[in-house]
Amino acid sequence: MFNKIWNWIVDIVNNIISSVMLVLPDSPFANFTVPDEVQKILGYVNYFVPIGAMLGIAAAWLTAVGAYYLWQTILSWAKAIK
């Protein structure tokens, strides 16, 4: 019984998300290509400045800080903290 209710809820959420995605426009960056010369230069720059690693660390940090502030907001709404 619980499985049927859960599947029904998941189907409704999937239908809502699919409907919203159909309304949104396609990404303008889907077919974006970087010229070969620029890729070569970026390869040299990335050897000395690990941009990919820096972006990954920044994303993880922002996620952690965002989760902290979200949790603090939820707790202050619940009047659990001052």
Side-chain angles (χ1 to χ4, degrees), residues 43-56:
Y44 292 133
V45 170
N46 198 29
Y47 181 78
F48 295 105
V49 182
I51 296 170
M54 290 167 60
L55 289 175

Side-chain angles (χ1 to χ4, degrees), residues 9 25 31 39 44-45 51-52 61 65 70 75 80:
I9 292 171
N31 296 326
Q39 283 183 350
Y44 292 133
V45 170
I51 296 170
W61 183 80
V65 170
L70 177 66
L75 289 178

Side-chain angles (χ1 to χ4, degrees), residues 52-69:
M54 290 167 60
L55 289 175
I57 292 168
W61 183 80
L62 285 173
T63 302
V65 170
Y68 171 78
Y69 281 120

Side-chain angles (χ1 to χ4, degrees), residues 32-44:
F32 181 72
T33 57
V34 179
D36 292 335
E37 300 84 20
V38 175
Q39 283 183 350
K40 187 175 180 181
I41 293 170
L42 286 178
Y44 292 133

Side-chain angles (χ1 to χ4, degrees), residues 5 9-11 17 20 26 28-29 38 41 46 61 66 69 74 78:
I5 294 172
I9 292 171
V10 169
D11 288 340
I17 291 173
V20 169
D26 292 335
F29 305 108
V38 175
I41 293 170
N46 198 29
W61 183 80
Y69 281 120
I74 291 170

